[in-house]
Structure formats: structure tokens, C-alpha cells
Amino acid sequence: MTREKLVGAARTLAFVLLAVVTIYGTYRFIQGDWTDVISYWRGNTTIIPALVGLSGIDVALEGAAWMWVYHRFGIRVFSRGGACAFVAGRAGLILPAQLGRLIRPDAIVKLKRSRMADALKAEGVVFVLDAISVVALLVALV
């Protein structure tokens, strides 16, 4: 089996895994009991705009940090293609064991912006920086 066929098979397997996890999660989400959730949010409607705003800021800051790290590795991501690669990686967050982090380097390689080894190194640095920020947040909260 050639390298291209192997990579294609791995991409297909990753997509199928993502689709199965998404379908199962959506099914469980729809089948859940919504009465407690609805009553909670009816009493706290002023929180919703703040949550939406904070979520947007979180995604924007994560995207800026991701693009900065990739830029430091010499990978051109400050473009529409780079932004799409970042958003595709966000879609893979539901995969177990941080496997969604492999979507962004794969997308960058498909855009012919970098070799896989360099993109994986950059993604590894992004992961370490994320972990450091989580530890710093927990230490600050304690």
C-alpha cells in the first residue's frame, strides 16, 4: 500500500470516527431530559449573552494563539485557509484523547503550507501552551 493510500485511509477512518461520535452524542443529547435545563435558563436569561460573548472571546484568543505559534514555525496560516483549518480543528474537540488536534495539522498539509512533521511540532507546542494556561488558571483559582 502506498503512502498516499495509507494517508487517505487514515483520513477516511478519522472522518468516520468523528461522524459516529457526533451522531451518538447528538442522539444522547436529544433523548435527554430537558425540563431542569429549561427551568434553570428561564430563571437566568441575563447570563446567556455573557456566556455567548465569553465563548466568542475564547475562540478568538485561541485562534490568535494558534496562528501565532504556527507563524513562529514558519507555517503560513494568516489566511482564509488557515482560519478554516483552525475551525475544522475546533469541530474535532469531541474526539477522545485529544485526537481532534490532528485535524489542524492535516488540514495545513492538505493546503500545502507545511510538512506534517513541522505542523505536528507546532500543534504540540499549542497543546503545551494550552496545558500551561489551564494549570495557571487552576493555580490562580486555588
Side-chain angles (χ1 to χ4, degrees):
M1 188 176 256
T2 65
R3 185 181 185 315
E4 290 80 23
K5 286 185 179 180
L6 212 80
V7 170
R11 284 182 178 143
T12 303
L13 180 64
F15 178 75
V16 168
L17 179 62
L18 179 61
V20 167
V21 169
T22 301
I23 290 168
Y24 176 74
T26 303
Y27 170 77
R28 296 293 298 170
F29 182 73
I30 291 171
Q31 295 300 317
D33 182 19
W34 289 77
T35 54
D36 291 338
V37 174
I38 291 171
S39 65
Y40 174 80
W41 285 115
R42 279 195 179 134
N44 295 303
T45 55
T46 57
I47 296 174
I48 295 173
L51 291 176
V52 170
L54 288 172
S55 294
I57 290 170
D58 174 51
V59 172
L61 289 175
E62 183 184 347
W66 177 80
M67 288 182 174
W68 178 79
V69 169
Y70 270 62
H71 176 73
R72 299 290 293 169
F73 274 84
I75 302 170
R76 191 172 47 90
V77 292
F78 288 103
S79 66
R80 184 176 15 169
C84 288
F86 172 74
V87 171
R90 296 280 301 178
L93 288 177
I94 63 171
L95 289 174
Q98 298 287 326
L99 288 174
R101 290 195 176 272
L102 298 176
I103 293 173
R104 295 187 287 212
D106 183 56
I108 294 301
V109 170
K110 284 177 93 173
L111 290 171
K112 297 181 177 27
R113 306 269 176 96
S114 172
R115 296 178 315 127
M116 182 59 92
D118 295 333
L120 286 173
K121 285 178 195 174
E123 194 64 37
V125 170
V126 170
F127 177 75
V128 169
L129 290 174
D130 282 348
I132 290 170
S133 69
V134 168
V135 169
L137 180 65
L138 290 175
V139 167
L141 288 174
V142 170

